[in-house]
Amino acid sequence: GLQYHPEVMHSERGVETLRRALFDVAKCDRSWDMQSALDSQLATIRTKIGNTKHAVCALSGGVDSAVAATLVHKAIGDRLHCVFVDNGLLRYKEQERVRQMFKEHLHLPVTIIDASERQLTKLKGVSDPEKKRKAIGAEFIAIFQEFAEKLERDLGHKAEFLVQGTLYPDVIESCPPPGSGQKHSHVIKSHHNVGGLPEKLGFDLVEPLRWLFKDEVRKLGLLMGVPEVFIKRHPFPGPGLAVRCLGDVTAEPRALDVLRDVDEIFINALREFDLYDQIWQAFAVFLPIKSVGVQGDQRSHKHVVGLRAITSSDGMTADWFRFSGDFLAEVSNRITNQVSDVNRVVYDITSKPPSTVEWE
């Protein structure tokens, strides 16, 4: 038998095959564009939320939530209340960078909630990836509910809606295919804003990007005037570093700090060597193992970290980025010289499929 996936990024002439099937053979009309998607979503949001009700938007500092917030703000104005939760699973100096970005670029008022200790306490002893994702999703919703209650007390306005930057790949990996008639399907991984939601939300969900892929979200953001500095940011998973620190994130006291430092060195090197914009997503992974090494003429027994960089157009399929050996050697040397807890660096050369982008 022969299996051919034309939608997979590295399949030869895949896009050409789809284009011919849709437009030359099936004679489909190219009537859909991002402007029509924008107009449609604005109308849908206004109809759903109405003229007096309020919404809370979960900001992560990434492309998806930034575009979702801009879209909903465009539809309902100041009745949108943005929240950024620092759950202790963010990248290096992410809270202060996000605060500056939203203030200077998007001009959106943001309430920042530090829930680091609270979230990490919930994750103590949890090593299963699905349980971690669901625990993070449940805690996010609980925090938003508390914020909404405080907002109602302070301003007299009840926020009935929760805005999230859920994308179509999130839905596909968490739920049965729409229109399939299936009640169950094999879950690849639960996304904290899809499969990780508790049944009783307390909010009505507004997910304006739910049927879009990442490349479409970026185009939509540019169409609405979202700064390019936002649009070009690499994707960051909703569960944050919890899915990049394998196993129990609290098992090693310095695991998250080590991961942040390694990731920052890697990302800064990509920018320095003009590689960042050639890559869809790049990040470091903290592995729950140690290896023997030699540092300063002495035996060491320290942590191992992995690096991952991929190319993709929509996040559904991906291929690993072919760095030069010299670049990988430079990054490895910087990491082992600057992060004293690490003595070994590995590079992930697996495509999606068979792997997923994130390690958990």
Side-chain angles (χ1 to χ4, degrees), residues 265-283:
I265 292 169
F266 184 31
I267 297 302
N268 285 343
L270 293 177
R271 296 187 187 280
E272 179 184 336
F273 286 84
D274 295 324
L275 294 170
Y276 186 86
D277 291 339
Q278 299 179 42
I279 294 168
W280 169 271
Q281 190 171 1
F283 55 90

Side-chain angles (χ1 to χ4, degrees), residues 130 133-134 170-176 184-191 195:
E130 277 297 292
R133 286 175 173 271
K134 290 181 182 295
D170 302 335
V171 178
I172 292 173
E173 292 187 340
S174 300
C175 306
H184 303 283
S185 67
H186 185 74
V187 175
I188 299 171
K189 55 186 178 181
S190 294
H191 291 262

Side-chain angles (χ1 to χ4, degrees), residues 137-266:
E139 199 60 28
F140 261 74
I141 294 299
I143 292 167
F144 293 145
Q145 287 175 323
E146 293 167 11
F147 175 79
E149 291 168 3
K150 184 177 185 300
L151 180 67
E152 185 175 9
R153 290 194 303 270
D154 293 347
L155 304 177
H157 301 305
K158 181 175 177 57
E160 298 181 5
F161 296 90
L162 172 61
V163 179
Q164 292 188 319
T166 308
L167 304 190
Y168 192 43
D170 302 335
V171 178
I172 292 173
E173 292 187 340
S174 300
C175 306
S180 67
Q182 293 176 272
K183 293 183 178 179
H184 303 283
S185 67
H186 185 74
V187 175
I188 299 171
K189 55 186 178 181
S190 294
H191 291 262
H192 83 281
N193 50 356
V194 183
L197 292 175
E199 291 183 7
K200 295 182 180 179
L201 277 175
F203 297 102
D204 283 335
L205 280 180
V206 176
E207 298 174 309
L209 312 178
R210 187 178 178 86
W211 305 114
L212 299 180
F213 290 98
K214 177 71 77 171
D215 58 324
E216 295 170 325
V217 171
R218 287 185 165 131
K219 291 175 183 176
L220 183 63
L222 289 173
L223 185 62
M224 293 189 296
V226 176
E228 199 168 10
V229 66
F230 256 71
I231 298 301
K232 286 189 173 182
R233 286 198 91 187
H234 287 181
F236 188 65
L241 298 182
V243 294
R244 295 178 179 176
C245 183
L246 306 192
D248 181 354
V249 300
T250 66
E252 289 285 347
R254 279 188 38 78
L256 291 170
D257 288 332
V258 169
L259 180 54
R260 289 186 185 98
D261 291 342
V262 171
D263 189 75
E264 182 73 0
I265 292 169
F266 184 31

Side-chain angles (χ1 to χ4, degrees), residues 258-259 261-263 265-266 283-287 289-293 295 300 302-309 323 325 327-349 359:
V258 169
L259 180 54
D261 291 342
V262 171
D263 189 75
I265 292 169
F266 184 31
F283 55 90
V285 181
F286 184 90
L287 304 179
I289 57 174
K290 289 185 176 180
S291 74
V292 173
Q295 291 175 298
S300 68
K302 297 183 178 180
H303 296 294
V304 180
V305 294
L307 303 180
R308 183 142 169 81
F323 289 115
F327 175 80
L328 289 174
E330 176 65 26
V331 172
S332 177
N333 286 337
R334 290 185 186 185
I335 290 170
T336 53
N337 287 334
Q338 297 175 36
V339 185
S340 60
D341 304 76
V342 175
N343 70 359
R344 192 176 300 272
V345 180
V346 298
Y347 183 54
D348 184 347
I349 58 168
W359 278 43

Side-chain angles (χ1 to χ4, degrees), residues 24-85:
D24 296 341
V25 178
K27 305 298 182 183
C28 292
D29 182 25
R30 298 190 188 207
S31 58
W32 189 91
D33 58 23
M34 291 315 303
Q35 183 62 55
S36 65
L38 172 59
D39 295 339
S40 173
Q41 278 304 317
L42 287 174
T44 299
I45 293 166
R46 287 168 180 148
T47 299
K48 183 167 185 174
I49 298 180
N51 297 322
T52 59
K53 295 178 181 178
H54 290 246
V56 178
C57 184
L59 294 175
S60 67
V63 175
D64 307 340
S65 62
V67 172
T70 303
L71 181 56
V72 175
H73 188 261
K74 192 178 181 70
I76 67 170
D78 292 340
R79 289 182 289 123
L80 173 67
H81 307 275
C82 296
V83 185
F84 177 80
V85 178

Side-chain angles (χ1 to χ4, degrees), residues 69-137:
T70 303
L71 181 56
V72 175
H73 188 261
K74 192 178 181 70
I76 67 170
D78 292 340
R79 289 182 289 123
L80 173 67
H81 307 275
C82 296
V83 185
F84 177 80
V85 178
D86 184 346
N87 62 358
L89 301 168
L90 302 178
R91 289 170 288 195
Y92 184 81
K93 292 186 177 180
E94 184 76 350
Q95 182 185 133
E96 57 188 83
R97 289 174 176 175
V98 166
R99 187 195 303 269
Q100 182 181 17
M101 279 186 172
F102 278 99
K103 181 179 179 181
E104 295 182 3
H105 295 287
L106 290 184
H107 310 292
L108 290 174
V110 181
T111 298
I112 294 181
I113 299 174
D114 190 342
S116 303
E117 185 176 349
R118 172 176 170 177
Q119 180 68 84
L120 293 177
T121 299
K122 294 279 188 181
L123 291 173
K124 186 174 179 63
V126 181
S127 58
D128 181 78
E130 277 297 292
K131 290 180 179 178
K132 285 199 291 186
R133 286 175 173 271
K134 290 181 182 295
I136 293 167

